[in-house]
Every structure is written in structure tokens, then in C-alpha cells.
Amino acid sequence: MTISSTCQNKPIVQAEDFLRLSDFTKKELFDLIEYGCMLKDEQEKGIAHRLLEGKTLAMIFEKPSTRTRVSFETGMFHLGGHALFLTKNDLQLGNGETISDTANTLSQYVDGIMVRTFEHENVTTLAENASIPIINGLSNDDHPCQVLADLMTIYEKKRSFSNVKLAFVGDGNNMAQSLIIGCAIMGIDCTITGPRGYEIATETFNKAQQLGQKSGAIISHTYDPVEAVQGADVIYTDVWTSMGWEDEAKNRVRHFKPYQVNEDLMKEAKEDCLFFHCLPAKRGEEVTADVIDGDQSVVFNQAANRLHAQKAILVALMGE
Ligand code: CP
Ligand code: NVA
């Protein structure tokens, strides 16, 4: 394996943390995506990037994870660093130690913290009290790492962000909130659809419309799933019941049923429309097996790009 020389120029971002996409400009997100593409390309050619030699990332998980945990841990290993997997119960955090004391203490040992938690405020409290970069690996409000990988996947498949229309079908959850902001920044038209009572926060929708005015993205909402997907290049969905809302699962199935992504709904979009899902998925609920396992589905490309997009984030925030 050779060591890369082309990857020495790390992507430059103003923010010290990766908490929400709205903290970044279009150029910064584009640079991260391009850097992720370059890392991916070089990795496929067997070129190594020891850009975080000797650095450690603490990963705090208050919710389960397959993709986020394995892609961050593998990413740190690829970059010559090390990752620590910590559940809340491995830390004194589970015993009542404050987030600020945890942030201050971890800052003495490690070079960055990735956190998956419930209230978004936990992420911001960590960031306010740590002297090292904080990365949001999913909160109740946001999943920015996933959306950076999704934008990278759109870029790979469509070679552009303009003239792309994305329809998000389902719950106005963390994925929907980060996606609409990511699309609005990059200039991707985005329509959200889902049942009444499960809309994204009005504040997020307004912010996306404001960002869309700058990028040219048309940001809209409808309760009609067929109207939402008309002319769509990408249909995106996510589980009807996110982690933390399990008590509502039965009730949600009833409300969300008309918003299932199935062959009939896919036919209402463009013929070459791609199907996206952040995973994990529930076949037979938000998506049918024929769609997620069919030719239009790119869900494992999205999963693969988590690794490369996050390596770009790690280098931007923790690299020399
Ligand atoms: N998409 C995603 O974040 O997956 P995990 O919950 O497996 O990390
Ligand atoms: N909305 C889902 C995303 C999982 C990656 C959840 O929060 O459970």
C-alpha cells in the first residue's frame, strides 16, 4: 500500500464541530463531498491516508447503531488513528456525571468526540464544554453525517445538485430535518410529505426555505404523496418509528400506511428515479421489499459512503 500525497490538503471548514448542516456553507459541504470522493477513489486503488496518526476519537452511543459505529471506527483505523466505543453505561454519565464534566474530562485524553444521543441539546452542551471537535452521530433532531453521505451519493449518481428533485416520504424526523436543510444548501429541490401531526418543525422548514432562496432550491410540503413524488429524481424514506418513540409504533403504522413507498408510488416519479433509505429499514412498513431490494435502490451505496464522507469530516476537524 502506498501513502497518498494528493490527500494532504484537508478540506477547510470554519466550524470547529459537525453538529448541524446549517453551520456549513454550500462550498464547505461541497469540498467535504469532493474530499470524500477522493478518499474513496484512492482507497479503491490501495492508497492509504494516515492523516490522523496517533489521534483518538471517543464515540458515545446512547442508542444502538450498525453503520455509524462501524464506519466511524473503521474510518479512524484507515486514517491511522484509534476509536473508543463507549455506551452511556460504560461512562460515569450513566451514573449521573454531567455532560459538561464528561466533555471537560474527555478533552484531556482524546482528539474528538462523536456522540449519538436523544435531545439535541446534549450534543450542543458537549460542544460548549469540550475543547475538542464534537460530531453529531444522530440526535432526535438531526442526522447530518448521514445526509453528507447521501449528498455524496446523489453527486456520484447524478453528477450535479442542480436539476435534482428529492421527495422525502414519511415521518418529519431527524432524517427529514437534516435532509431538507442539506438539499436547501446544495440547491436540490426538496418536497416533504407525510401524515398530519408528523410534520418537520416549522422552524426547520422556514430555515430551509430561506436557504433555498439563496441556492435556488424549491422547498415545499404537501400531504399528498403522489403529488410529492411527481418528477422526483430521488425518493427517500425512513422508519415510521424512530429510536425513542417505540411506544407510539402501533399508532404510527395506522397513520403512515398511505405513505408507504411501493412500486405504485415509485411509478409516479421519473422513470430513472432512485430509491434512498438511511437504514435500518422495515420492509412491509415504510418500504416494500420489491422497492428496497429492486434495481432503483441505492441504499448500500449510501451506507458505503458513510465511511468516506465521515473520513472527510474527521480530517477536516481533527487533521493537522
Ligand atoms: N443510518 C444509520 O445511522 O444507521 P445506524 O443506526 O446503523 O448507525
Ligand atoms: N430516524 C431514525 C434514523 C436511524 C438511523 C432514528 O432516529 O431511529
Side-chain angles (χ1 to χ4, degrees), residues 134-157:
I134 304 298
I135 299 171
N136 180 2
L138 181 147
S139 66
N140 286 350
D141 295 352
D142 274 292
H143 199 0
C145 294
Q146 176 68 51
V147 172
L148 191 71
D150 297 336
L151 293 171
M152 178 172 161
T153 310
I154 292 172
Y155 187 61
E156 281 179 337
K157 298 287 175 194

CSV table of all heavy atoms in Angstrom, one decimal, residues 134-157:
chain,number,residue,atom,x,y,z
A,134,ILE,N,-16.6,18.1,18.2
A,134,ILE,CA,-17.8,17.2,18.5
A,134,ILE,C,-18.5,16.9,17.2
A,134,ILE,O,-18.8,17.9,16.4
A,134,ILE,CB,-18.8,17.9,19.5
A,134,ILE,CG1,-18.1,18.3,20.8
A,134,ILE,CG2,-20.0,16.9,19.8
A,134,ILE,CD1,-17.5,17.2,21.6
A,135,ILE,N,-18.8,15.7,17.0
A,135,ILE,CA,-19.5,15.3,15.8
A,135,ILE,C,-20.9,14.7,16.2
A,135,ILE,O,-20.9,13.8,17.0
A,135,ILE,CB,-18.7,14.2,15.0
A,135,ILE,CG1,-17.3,14.8,14.5
A,135,ILE,CG2,-19.5,13.7,13.7
A,135,ILE,CD1,-16.4,13.9,13.9
A,136,ASN,N,-21.9,15.2,15.6
A,136,ASN,CA,-23.3,14.6,15.8
A,136,ASN,C,-23.5,13.4,15.0
A,136,ASN,O,-23.7,13.4,13.8
A,136,ASN,CB,-24.3,15.7,15.5
A,136,ASN,CG,-25.7,15.3,15.7
A,136,ASN,OD1,-26.0,14.2,16.2
A,136,ASN,ND2,-26.7,16.1,15.4
A,137,GLY,N,-23.5,12.2,15.7
A,137,GLY,CA,-23.8,10.9,15.1
A,137,GLY,C,-25.2,10.5,15.1
A,137,GLY,O,-25.5,9.4,14.9
A,138,LEU,N,-26.1,11.5,15.4
A,138,LEU,CA,-27.6,11.4,15.4
A,138,LEU,C,-28.1,11.9,16.7
A,138,LEU,O,-27.7,11.4,17.8
A,138,LEU,CB,-28.1,10.0,15.1
A,138,LEU,CG,-29.6,9.7,15.1
A,138,LEU,CD1,-30.0,8.6,14.1
A,138,LEU,CD2,-30.2,9.4,16.5
A,139,SER,N,-29.0,12.8,16.6
A,139,SER,CA,-29.8,13.3,17.8
A,139,SER,C,-31.3,13.2,17.4
A,139,SER,O,-31.6,12.8,16.2
A,139,SER,CB,-29.5,14.7,18.1
A,139,SER,OG,-29.9,15.6,17.1
A,140,ASN,N,-32.2,13.4,18.3
A,140,ASN,CA,-33.6,13.4,17.9
A,140,ASN,C,-33.9,14.3,16.8
A,140,ASN,O,-34.9,14.1,16.1
A,140,ASN,CB,-34.5,13.7,19.2
A,140,ASN,CG,-34.5,12.6,20.2
A,140,ASN,OD1,-34.0,11.5,19.9
A,140,ASN,ND2,-35.0,12.8,21.4
A,141,ASP,N,-33.2,15.4,16.7
A,141,ASP,CA,-33.5,16.4,15.7
A,141,ASP,C,-32.7,16.3,14.4
A,141,ASP,O,-33.1,16.9,13.4
A,141,ASP,CB,-33.2,17.8,16.2
A,141,ASP,CG,-34.1,18.2,17.4
A,141,ASP,OD1,-35.0,17.4,17.7
A,141,ASP,OD2,-33.8,19.2,18.1
A,142,ASP,N,-31.5,15.7,14.4
A,142,ASP,CA,-30.6,15.8,13.2
A,142,ASP,C,-29.8,14.5,13.0
A,142,ASP,O,-29.5,13.8,14.0
A,142,ASP,CB,-29.7,16.9,13.4
A,142,ASP,CG,-30.2,18.2,13.0
A,142,ASP,OD1,-30.4,18.4,11.8
A,142,ASP,OD2,-30.5,19.1,13.8
A,143,HIS,N,-29.5,14.3,11.7
A,143,HIS,CA,-28.5,13.2,11.4
A,143,HIS,C,-27.6,13.7,10.3
A,143,HIS,O,-27.7,13.2,9.1
A,143,HIS,CB,-29.3,11.9,11.0
A,143,HIS,CG,-28.5,10.7,11.1
A,143,HIS,ND1,-27.2,10.7,11.5
A,143,HIS,CD2,-28.8,9.4,10.8
A,143,HIS,CE1,-26.7,9.4,11.4
A,143,HIS,NE2,-27.7,8.6,11.0
A,144,PRO,N,-26.8,14.7,10.6
A,144,PRO,CA,-26.0,15.4,9.5
A,144,PRO,C,-25.0,14.5,8.8
A,144,PRO,O,-24.7,14.7,7.6
A,144,PRO,CB,-25.3,16.5,10.2
A,144,PRO,CG,-25.3,16.1,11.7
A,144,PRO,CD,-26.5,15.3,11.9
A,145,CYS,N,-24.4,13.5,9.5
A,145,CYS,CA,-23.4,12.6,8.9
A,145,CYS,C,-24.0,11.8,7.8
A,145,CYS,O,-23.5,11.6,6.7
A,145,CYS,CB,-22.7,11.7,9.9
A,145,CYS,SG,-21.7,12.6,11.1
A,146,GLN,N,-25.3,11.3,8.1
A,146,GLN,CA,-26.0,10.5,7.1
A,146,GLN,C,-26.3,11.4,5.9
A,146,GLN,O,-26.1,10.9,4.7
A,146,GLN,CB,-27.3,10.0,7.7
A,146,GLN,CG,-28.2,9.3,6.7
A,146,GLN,CD,-27.6,7.9,6.3
A,146,GLN,OE1,-27.2,7.1,7.2
A,146,GLN,NE2,-27.5,7.7,5.0
A,147,VAL,N,-26.7,12.6,6.1
A,147,VAL,CA,-27.0,13.4,4.9
A,147,VAL,C,-25.8,13.8,4.1
A,147,VAL,O,-25.9,13.9,2.9
A,147,VAL,CB,-27.9,14.7,5.3
A,147,VAL,CG1,-28.1,15.6,4.2
A,147,VAL,CG2,-29.2,14.2,5.9
A,148,LEU,N,-24.7,14.0,4.7
A,148,LEU,CA,-23.5,14.3,3.9
A,148,LEU,C,-23.2,13.1,3.0
A,148,LEU,O,-22.9,13.3,1.8
A,148,LEU,CB,-22.3,14.6,4.8
A,148,LEU,CG,-21.1,15.1,4.1
A,148,LEU,CD1,-21.3,16.5,3.6
A,148,LEU,CD2,-19.8,15.1,4.9
A,149,ALA,N,-23.3,11.9,3.5
A,149,ALA,CA,-23.1,10.7,2.7
A,149,ALA,C,-24.2,10.6,1.6
A,149,ALA,O,-23.9,10.1,0.5
A,149,ALA,CB,-23.2,9.4,3.6
A,150,ASP,N,-25.4,11.0,1.9
A,150,ASP,CA,-26.5,11.0,0.9
A,150,ASP,C,-26.2,12.0,-0.2
A,150,ASP,O,-26.4,11.7,-1.4
A,150,ASP,CB,-27.8,11.3,1.6
A,150,ASP,CG,-28.2,10.2,2.7
A,150,ASP,OD1,-27.7,9.1,2.6
A,150,ASP,OD2,-29.0,10.6,3.6
A,151,LEU,N,-25.7,13.1,0.2
A,151,LEU,CA,-25.4,14.2,-0.8
A,151,LEU,C,-24.3,13.6,-1.7
A,151,LEU,O,-24.3,13.8,-2.9
A,151,LEU,CB,-25.0,15.5,-0.2
A,151,LEU,CG,-26.2,16.2,0.6
A,151,LEU,CD1,-25.6,17.4,1.4
A,151,LEU,CD2,-27.2,16.7,-0.4
A,152,MET,N,-23.3,13.0,-1.1
A,152,MET,CA,-22.2,12.4,-1.9
A,152,MET,C,-22.8,11.3,-2.8
A,152,MET,O,-22.3,11.3,-4.0
A,152,MET,CB,-21.2,11.7,-0.9
A,152,MET,CG,-20.0,11.1,-1.6
A,152,MET,SD,-18.8,10.5,-0.3
A,152,MET,CE,-17.9,9.3,-1.3
A,153,THR,N,-23.8,10.6,-2.4
A,153,THR,CA,-24.4,9.5,-3.3
A,153,THR,C,-25.1,10.2,-4.4
A,153,THR,O,-25.0,9.7,-5.6
A,153,THR,CB,-25.3,8.6,-2.4
A,153,THR,OG1,-24.6,8.2,-1.3
A,153,THR,CG2,-25.8,7.4,-3.2
A,154,ILE,N,-25.8,11.3,-4.1
A,154,ILE,CA,-26.6,12.0,-5.2
A,154,ILE,C,-25.5,12.5,-6.2
A,154,ILE,O,-25.7,12.4,-7.4
A,154,ILE,CB,-27.4,13.1,-4.6
A,154,ILE,CG1,-28.6,12.6,-3.8
A,154,ILE,CG2,-27.9,14.1,-5.7
A,154,ILE,CD1,-29.4,13.6,-3.0
A,155,TYR,N,-24.5,13.1,-5.7
A,155,TYR,CA,-23.4,13.6,-6.6
A,155,TYR,C,-22.8,12.5,-7.5
A,155,TYR,O,-22.6,12.8,-8.7
A,155,TYR,CB,-22.4,14.3,-5.7
A,155,TYR,CG,-21.3,15.1,-6.5
A,155,TYR,CD1,-21.7,16.1,-7.3
A,155,TYR,CD2,-20.0,14.7,-6.4
A,155,TYR,CE1,-20.7,16.8,-8.0
A,155,TYR,CE2,-19.0,15.4,-7.1
A,155,TYR,CZ,-19.4,16.5,-7.9
A,155,TYR,OH,-18.5,17.1,-8.7
A,156,GLU,N,-22.6,11.4,-6.9
A,156,GLU,CA,-22.0,10.3,-7.7
A,156,GLU,C,-22.9,9.8,-8.7
A,156,GLU,O,-22.5,9.5,-9.9
A,156,GLU,CB,-21.7,9.1,-6.7
A,156,GLU,CG,-20.5,9.2,-5.9
A,156,GLU,CD,-20.3,8.0,-5.0
A,156,GLU,OE1,-21.2,7.3,-4.7
A,156,GLU,OE2,-19.1,7.7,-4.6
A,157,LYS,N,-24.2,9.8,-8.4
A,157,LYS,CA,-25.2,9.2,-9.3
A,157,LYS,C,-25.7,10.2,-10.4
A,157,LYS,O,-26.0,9.8,-11.5
A,157,LYS,CB,-26.4,8.7,-8.6
A,157,LYS,CG,-26.1,7.5,-7.6
A,157,LYS,CD,-25.8,6.3,-8.3
A,157,LYS,CE,-25.4,5.2,-7.3
A,157,LYS,NZ,-24.8,4.0,-8.0
